[in-house]
Amino acid sequence: MNPLLDFSGLPRFAEIRPQHASPAIDALLAEARAAVALVSAESVPATWEAFVQPLEDANERLSRAWGQISHLHAVLDSPELREAYNANLPKVTQYWTELGQNEHLFAKYRALKAAPGFAQLSAPRRKLVDNALRDFRLGGAELPAEKKPRYAAIQEELAALSAKFSENVLDATNAYSLLIEDEARLAGLPADVREAAREAAQKDGKAGWKFTLHMPSYFPVMQYADDRALRETLYRENVTRASEFGKPEWDNAPLMAKILRLRREDAQMLGYANFAEVSLVPKMAQTPRQVLDFLHDLARRARPFAERDLAELRSFASAELGLASLEAWDVSYAAEKLRARRYAFSDQEVKEYFPETQVVPGMFKLVETLYGLSISEVTDRSLAPVWHEDVRFFDIRNAGGELIGRFYLDLYARETKRGGAWMDDAVTRRRKADGIQTPVAYLNCNFSRPVGGKPALFTHDEVITLFHEFGHGLHHLLTRIEDLGVAGINGVEWDAVELPSQFMENFCWEWEVLKHMTAPLRDRRAAAARAVRQDDRGEELPVRAADPAPGGVLAVRHAPALRLRPGQRAQCARRARRGARPGGGAGAAGLQPLPEQLLAHLRRRLRGRLLQLQVGRGAVGGRIQRVRGAARRRGRSRPRHRRAFPRRGAGGGRQPAGRGVVPRLPRPRPAGRCTAQA
């Protein structure tokens, strides 16, 4: 049996091959079209059971099969799989476009909305019907017959351009590598980064150190490498990927121009002034002007702090690093040096407190405590097949032991995987004749993999990313809604869908959470940690008056707090009891389990700052001012993901929720992603 046609359980990733794609998609398209023809007949009444349910069943099967192909295209790309994906993309796109323009189905949804029995439907089903009517209009159902072919052609071309855009970025990223043979050029780089580069070179059968444009390799060079020419080389290669400066066949500039022209034509055919207006229809923000006013106001408020931080960084770079001109490839490096100078700690040092073997269980412990759940790993690959040996699979059960959700966890970067971090749905919760369908999610990141036989180490920023994506996953997996189109992440306004993920991010600043996900990696650090805890257990150290926290970006991101050296913590506690000011004296070798003063400082910096989302309409009406009391929102210097795990379109990428033509399944939109990857 074709594994893509088996919907009895989890996807059979270990068996799926590129040659399975076309036969499965052809069969499912035929099945879906037969269902559409059946429910479109005049003899079929406009009721939920008569036409919505059968259509939903057929479309879900198509969506799940195409979703598996799209997912593999994103995480395990190969020439054969790409060929199969692109061969079927136009066929799937055509089907969703046909569905969106089907006047008979549109009429049945309108009849269902107008029927006396509509009020007796559950709230989720009423919302689902309202979304479907909106999406038929956005899908071109009301266009004159002579314009529909052109509209359909636009959708096919947009889907193809979107897929090609993503492929060009991946190909350009994978095509570049730099082999360093002179170890002196690696000055400043942490040991684990060097080891990963050495292993990468050995994998190619070469001596030296191999660096690429994948983020775990690229960013440490920008942050730590003393060799300015090395930083400049990698920076220029990174920012010119898939552009006119590289291979013509990977140049995305013409694609972007075409996408913009087609989107404008798309919007104008639907009666909108521009594509921004179309994009906002299923969102809470009401108009492009409202969005721009918000952004301009944010820029006005932030600019003075940014200018002050930049001036401070330029001054430091000139006086301390000998950089007369601070270039783009110097910013991360200079910021890291400034942090080390002022606060005596670095991202690399903090990273050593966040091994994967502590972070992931610690995150699970938080969720288990909050929601009364238990999370357990399924290690038997026959029960949960995966697409790569790095992938892990987990079950979520409630307090009664009932299985309520499942998820894949794919943490590490690799050449066959697109960049960034994202969550996507594999299976959505719904009620079926034989019971509740258990939801399944994909959680994907691009973190550094383990090197030298040691656990992978995460920066605090990566910990936040992981919590962020797991928040999306929990949103999808813990839903109690039983109708596909509005269960989990589906049907949620796309500018509100980030709320659960932002909620999870807040816990990354709480010591009661962090203490369960941090651990020293060396015995000497563990010994020092035990001595410190015995001396001043439970006490929070005061902030040194001589080191006031700087404002703006540097305070929150680049220079979070003073870190006391090993041995100083106990000494500072004693001095604090006597009223002395902490911070002086030399420390012994080693590190405390986690700099609590860093946490204390950040809490003070962020406490009271509100997470404000200006909303115009939708499920959340008004202004969300607080999340968990005084929500603490952290700025980002690097985006985490393209777009917030949008619903899957035929283009294999993501699209805003509500752009679908029928419940659950959207017509294709260009791929984009949560906030795009770096």
Side-chain angles (χ1 to χ4, degrees), residues 132-455:
L133 290 172
R134 175 200 65 200
D135 297 339
F136 271 107
R137 298 185 181 99
L138 292 176
E142 295 179 323
L143 289 175
E146 65 274 12
K147 291 187 177 181
K148 288 185 176 180
R150 174 55 187 162
Y151 191 82
I154 290 175
Q155 307 319 308
E156 283 195 38
E157 190 171 0
L158 281 172
L161 289 170
S162 174
K164 180 62 175 171
F165 186 101
S166 298
E167 291 169 359
N168 286 349
V169 173
L170 181 61
D171 289 344
T173 301
N174 288 336
Y176 180 81
S177 65
L178 178 64
L179 184 68
I180 300 296
E181 297 178 339
D182 181 5
E183 189 172 5
R185 298 196 67 189
L186 306 182
L189 289 178
D192 62 327
V193 176
R194 296 190 188 200
E195 179 64 19
R198 187 185 63 81
E199 289 184 4
Q202 287 180 341
K203 186 178 178 181
D204 292 345
K206 299 178 180 178
W209 296 265
K210 177 184 176 181
F211 294 92
T212 71
L213 300 181
H214 291 281
M215 197 53 58
S217 176
Y218 167 81
F219 191 73
V221 174
M222 304 308 299
Q223 191 172 15
Y224 297 110
D226 294 334
D227 189 327
R228 193 184 193 196
L230 175 60
R231 299 199 307 269
E232 180 180 359
T233 297
L234 286 180
Y235 175 84
R236 290 187 181 277
E237 291 293 339
N238 184 60
V239 298
T240 57
R241 286 177 299 162
S243 71
E244 66 272 24
F245 299 103
K247 290 187 177 182
E249 61 267 30
W250 295 338
D251 184 4
N252 275 336
L255 274 61
M256 289 188 285
K258 287 183 182 179
I259 288 172
L260 290 174
R261 287 196 298 268
L262 290 171
R263 283 182 173 181
R264 182 175 183 180
E265 186 178 357
D266 174 314
Q268 292 178 343
M269 290 186 73
L270 294 176
Y272 294 93
N274 51 62
F275 191 78
E277 292 184 356
V278 178
S279 174
L280 290 177
V281 172
K283 297 176 183 176
M284 292 189 300
Q286 294 177 317
T287 65
R289 174 48 53 193
Q290 184 185 45
V291 175
L292 290 173
D293 287 346
F294 169 78
L295 293 175
H296 291 156
D297 180 64
L298 181 64
R300 178 182 60 81
R301 296 170 186 268
R303 186 181 181 107
F305 296 97
E307 289 177 339
R308 184 181 68 187
D309 293 341
L310 181 60
E312 183 179 6
L313 196 60
R314 281 175 171 162
S315 176
F316 173 82
S318 176
E320 303 295 334
L321 304 179
L323 299 177
S325 174
L326 186 71
E327 303 293 346
W329 48 87
D330 300 322
V331 172
S332 296
Y333 176 77
E336 182 64 23
K337 292 295 185 183
L338 175 58
R339 172 163 46 198
R341 174 66 60 85
R342 179 172 294 166
Y343 300 105
F345 86 98
S346 70
D347 260 357
Q348 182 64 24
E349 289 178 294
V350 173
K351 181 178 178 180
E352 295 188 14
Y353 293 103
F354 290 108
E356 177 190 347
T357 49
Q358 288 289 124
V359 171
V360 173
M363 181 177 70
F364 291 168
K365 179 179 176 64
L366 167 67
V367 172
E368 289 171 338
T369 303
L370 285 176
Y371 302 111
L373 306 172
S374 64
I375 301 175
S376 58
E377 184 168 6
V378 179
T379 57
D380 188 341
R381 294 299 192 229
S382 66
L383 299 177
V386 296
W387 54 91
H388 191 275
E389 61 183 6
D390 291 338
V391 180
R392 302 167 69 187
F393 186 82
F394 297 87
D395 284 343
I396 302 179
R397 298 181 183 275
N398 61 18
E402 178 189 2
L403 181 66
I404 59 173
R406 320 183 81 178
F407 63 94
Y408 299 89
L409 187 63
D410 188 356
L411 291 177
Y412 311 136
R414 55 180 173 269
E415 291 185 354
T416 59
K417 187 179 183 182
R418 74 187 184 196
W422 71 98
M423 171 268 167
D424 205 352
D425 58 319
V427 182
T428 298
R429 176 183 165 97
R430 65 178 299 201
R431 179 168 291 280
K432 303 177 72 173
D434 57 351
I436 295 294
Q437 178 171 275
T438 303
V440 183
Y442 306 117
L443 301 178
N444 305 280
C445 298
N446 271 277
F447 300 156
S448 300
R449 65 177 53 254
V451 294
K454 301 175 183 177

Side-chain angles (χ1 to χ4, degrees), residues 340-345 349 353 525 527-529 531-533 535-536 539-542 544 547 561-578 580-597:
R341 174 66 60 85
R342 179 172 294 166
Y343 300 105
F345 86 98
E349 289 178 294
Y353 293 103
R525 292 181 178 176
V532 169
R533 285 195 296 269
D535 188 271
D536 63 342
E539 290 199 23
E540 181 173 301
L541 300 177
R544 187 169 63 187
D547 287 275
L562 166 70
R563 181 181 71 77
L564 299 178
R565 296 187 182 280
Q568 284 184 292
R569 185 178 174 206
Q571 181 183 8
C572 284
R574 290 191 293 269
R575 289 186 178 185
R577 296 186 190 105
R578 299 193 301 266
R581 190 163 59 189
L591 295 172
Q592 68 271 18
L594 189 80
E596 287 193 10
Q597 189 156 343

Side-chain angles (χ1 to χ4, degrees), residues 433-672:
D434 57 351
I436 295 294
Q437 178 171 275
T438 303
V440 183
Y442 306 117
L443 301 178
N444 305 280
C445 298
N446 271 277
F447 300 156
S448 300
R449 65 177 53 254
V451 294
K454 301 175 183 177
L457 300 177
F458 299 156
T459 65
H460 188 243
D461 189 60
E462 288 172 332
V463 173
I464 292 175
T465 296
L466 182 59
F467 270 62
H468 181 101
E469 299 308 332
F470 199 43
H472 287 316
L474 293 174
H475 184 185
H476 183 68
L477 298 172
L478 302 188
T479 182
R480 297 183 179 181
I481 301 299
E482 299 177 356
D483 294 292
L484 276 176
V486 288
I489 63 175
N490 298 299
V492 180
E493 287 82 354
W494 229 231
D495 43 359
V497 82
E498 291 292 325
L499 199 56
S501 55
Q502 296 292 343
F503 176 80
M504 282 296 293
E505 284 191 27
N506 293 326
F507 290 105
C508 295
W509 305 101
E510 298 292 342
W511 170 242
E512 289 303 313
V513 175
L514 288 174
K515 72 180 182 181
H516 295 295
M517 40 192 277
T518 59
L521 294 182
R522 301 173 188 170
D523 292 341
R524 64 185 177 87
R525 292 181 178 176
R530 285 193 297 271
V532 169
R533 285 195 296 269
Q534 290 169 0
D535 188 271
D536 63 342
R537 183 184 293 112
E539 290 199 23
E540 181 173 301
L541 300 177
V543 173
R544 187 169 63 187
D547 287 275
V553 176
L554 288 178
V556 176
R557 182 170 185 83
H558 295 298
L562 166 70
R563 181 181 71 77
L564 299 178
R565 296 187 182 280
Q568 284 184 292
R569 185 178 174 206
Q571 181 183 8
C572 284
R574 290 191 293 269
R575 289 186 178 185
R577 296 186 190 105
R578 299 193 301 266
R581 190 163 59 189
L591 295 172
Q592 68 271 18
L594 189 80
E596 287 193 10
Q597 189 156 343
L598 183 156
L599 293 169
H601 168 68
L602 283 171
R603 291 192 191 104
R604 282 187 289 271
R605 289 288 308 169
L606 297 172
R607 184 171 289 125
R609 296 192 179 187
L610 305 180
L611 171 64
Q612 295 186 348
L613 299 177
Q614 182 67 45
V615 297
R617 61 173 180 274
V620 184
R623 177 172 294 177
I624 301 173
Q625 291 184 315
R626 291 180 182 269
V627 177
R628 293 183 64 250
R632 285 156 291 224
R633 179 72 187 274
R634 198 173 103 98
R636 300 174 184 161
S637 67
R638 299 193 307 281
R640 298 196 213 299
H641 38 65
R642 289 190 195 166
R643 215 187 278 150
F645 61 90
R647 298 165 72 191
R648 186 188 304 105
R654 310 297 204 258
Q655 63 183 10
R659 287 289 285 164
V661 250
V662 293
R664 168 73 179 94
L665 296 173
R667 72 181 177 91
R669 300 302 308 170

